[in-house]
Amino acid sequence: MNTEQIVRTIVEYFEERGHRRITGSTLLPPPGDPVLFTTSGMHPLIPYLEGRPHPLGRRLVNLQRCLRTTDLEEVGDANHLTVFEMLGTWSLGDYDGSMSLDWGYRLLTEGLGIDPGLLHATVYGGDDRVGPDTASLRLWQDRGVPVELTVEDNWWSNGPVGPCGPDSEIFLWSGETPPESTPTRDDRWVEVWNHVMMRHRRLEDGSLVPLPQRNVDTGLGLERLASLLQGTSSVFECDVFDPWRRLVPTLWPTDEPSRRLLYDHLRSAVVVLGDEVRPANTGRGYVLRRLVRRVLTVLWRDDPSRSLGDLPDELISHTLDHFRQEVESGDVRRLLLQEERRFSQLLERGRKVLARPRFQGPLGDEDFHYLHDTHGLPRDLVMSLRQE
Ligand code: SER
């Protein structure tokens, strides 16, 4: 099953059960939201989880593109992408968590053909403030799915304040051997679907109050599920990356971790540009700038004559099409090249400045400020130039 078929199967399953599909899934959060990018499927739904009526009703389904920079250092492992897609379903004060888990279980096993023996669940075990999630525990026991109880790992929140609640996560075994151990002890158990019983709100003082309605919020990482269903060992092997694996290694031969970084960051940069963010020294534009600079650092480490101008058009247009973005691929390429030129000039200037006697010894905060404010050289760039 390719990702398109997975999306269709899941969306139709929930539509048949009264869910309406939300359209539009930009990475840019609504105005006034302090977060730079949409980080999960539920993110744009926070006001509705807090009680505002949603125009499409109480049962919703969506495919949301998300960007998580907290995982930037983890890029290159088998399961983390900077930009990824999350399938989400919501009960806004409608059905309960057990119904949601039961549908999830049936969809994975009957709809997508996963062997039930390869599933493991985790459930909130309770602490002194919120009791154990016995309804979810019972559901999994009835289905014969093994359960591990945890406290912190099964409490979902989007930040220190706001809607939160206990969750039940569904894991799929990715090992070559028969399943063993439990999700917290063996990372061959890969999390595929999180069902959050979003019933609480955490206030500034740390206390919990009930939300006006009992919601269920679920999120399923599309590329991760696709790679498991396609029997591949990492998200970079799933069908989404087919054209990247076909074209990039011959164009820019490099080692496997660098290849993964190139796929992830370039694809993410195209999507961010596709949502009309432009490179800048602050905010969203700086996240984009860092992605492009990390790509160039890897490319130039192996061969300084490489240029993003050689990036095949197919990779840009395939990505824009996949994310249903209207931007022209030529414009994306032009912006990438502009950024490449700017970075190359900055490096040249940086090398000259750092060659001065003043910067030969250890650098203090004052030096870093001067290099940043007068020469536009950020600290991380100075560090990497000094290691050349
Ligand atoms: N809020 C949960 C998550 O992001 C489910 O949507 O994983």
Side-chain angles (χ1 to χ4, degrees):
M1 248 196 206
N2 63 30
T3 42
E4 296 254 322
Q5 290 162 324
I6 296 171
V7 171
R8 207 171 323 121
T9 306
I10 296 179
V11 170
E12 282 172 8
Y13 185 92
F14 282 96
E15 282 177 340
E16 282 160 17
R17 286 156 186 79
H19 293 65
R20 302 277 302 279
R21 182 165 182 177
I22 303 170
T23 51
S25 66
T26 166
L27 281 175
L28 309 192
D33 192 317
V35 170
L36 291 179
F37 290 102
T38 298
T39 54
S40 68
M42 57 81 74
H43 191 146
L45 290 172
I46 292 175
Y48 308 103
L49 291 161
E50 290 185 326
R52 191 200 295 176
H54 194 284
L56 294 177
R58 291 180 171 275
R59 297 185 179 200
L60 306 172
V61 58
N62 188 22
L63 178 63
Q64 172 69 49
R65 53 179 171 272
C66 305
L67 186 149
R68 291 192 183 175
T69 47
T70 41
D71 291 344
L72 216 52
E73 301 308 326
E74 287 178 32
V75 166
D77 80 1
N79 292 315
H80 287 90
L81 295 170
T82 306
V83 166
F84 62 97
E85 288 184 282
M86 198 186 265
L87 269 156
T89 65
W90 293 275
S91 158
L92 299 175
D94 192 335
Y95 55 85
D96 65 11
S98 307
M99 176 94 271
S100 178
L101 290 174
D102 190 40
W103 282 339
Y105 175 76
R106 286 171 192 273
L107 182 50
L108 290 176
T109 53
E110 292 159 20
L112 298 172
I114 292 173
D115 172 358
L118 298 180
L119 296 177
H120 204 303
T122 60
V123 165
Y124 183 67
D127 66 5
D128 49 4
R129 287 211 255 185
V130 179
D133 180 4
T134 46
S136 301
L137 180 61
R138 209 167 316 119
L139 181 284
W140 291 124
Q141 284 170 339
D142 288 349
R143 300 287 168 282
V145 174
V147 179
E148 180 175 27
L149 294 173
T150 86
V151 180
E152 267 114 56
D153 287 353
N154 284 100
W155 184 268
W156 202 90
S157 61
N158 202 25
V161 293
C164 53
D167 67 40
S168 180
E169 299 176 12
I170 309 176
F171 290 76
L172 182 54
W173 179 249
S174 67
E176 304 287 328
T177 56
E180 56 182 282
S181 193
T182 65
T184 64
R185 293 205 207 100
D186 191 323
D187 60 13
R188 286 174 295 174
W189 287 108
V190 179
E191 183 203 327
V192 291
W193 204 343
N194 190 8
H195 294 238
V196 186
M197 321 311 157
M198 208 162 273
R199 314 196 262 255
H200 306 271
R201 179 193 290 139
R202 193 177 294 282
L203 306 179
E204 297 279 354
D205 65 5
S207 60
L208 288 176
V209 292
L211 284 172
Q213 63 195 28
R214 293 164 71 85
N215 308 291
V216 187
D217 149 51
T218 86
L220 175 152
L222 179 62
E223 296 86 351
R224 208 181 271 187
L225 179 64
S227 71
L228 289 164
L229 289 176
Q230 291 163 18
T232 64
S233 55
S234 89
V235 283
F236 298 95
E237 312 289 323
C238 82
D239 63 299
V240 164
F241 289 98
D242 281 350
W244 295 83
R245 285 197 314 277
R246 178 161 46 78
L247 297 168
V248 173
T250 43
L251 177 65
W252 296 316
T254 186
D255 55 83
E256 181 61 24
S258 306
R259 231 180 347 253
R260 288 180 173 187
L261 185 143
L262 293 180
Y263 299 170
D264 174 82
H265 284 21
L266 275 170
R267 177 171 170 268
S268 300
V270 171
V271 181
V272 173
L273 285 164
D275 273 346
E276 315 233 6
V277 174
R278 297 294 171 256
N281 280 335
T282 54
R284 292 182 189 119
Y286 189 60
V287 173
L288 172 60
R289 178 157 279 168
R290 271 185 71 200
L291 289 167
V292 177
R293 287 182 177 179
R294 281 169 68 110
V295 164
L296 290 167
T297 304
V298 164
L299 290 180
W300 290 341
R301 185 197 59 207
D302 293 340
D303 177 355
S305 71
R306 289 173 174 173
S307 166
L308 293 178
D310 296 328
L311 186 67
D313 193 59
E314 185 185 337
L315 296 179
I316 305 178
S317 42
H318 171 266
T319 304
L320 295 172
D321 284 353
H322 178 86
F323 286 93
R324 302 162 299 281
Q325 293 174 304
E326 305 286 329
V327 177
E328 293 291 325
S329 64
D331 289 341
V332 170
R333 175 189 305 283
R334 190 174 44 76
L335 288 160
L336 288 173
L337 263 174
Q338 253 173 29
E339 191 55 17
E340 172 178 313
R341 235 169 278 132
R342 185 192 293 265
F343 187 45
S344 151
Q345 286 160 0
L346 186 65
L347 287 179
E348 207 175 307
R349 194 161 65 237
R351 287 192 187 102
K352 275 199 203 123
V353 173
L354 289 175
R356 294 181 192 162
R358 166 173 175 188
F359 302 115
Q360 297 315 299
L363 301 183
D365 278 346
E366 211 179 301
D367 298 310
F368 282 115
H369 283 142
Y370 167 80
L371 288 166
H372 184 265
D373 297 345
T374 313
H375 296 285
L377 297 167
R379 196 182 188 106
D380 52 354
L381 186 65
V382 171
M383 307 289 273
S384 70
L385 282 173
R386 277 164 63 94
Q387 278 160 16
E388 279 185 346

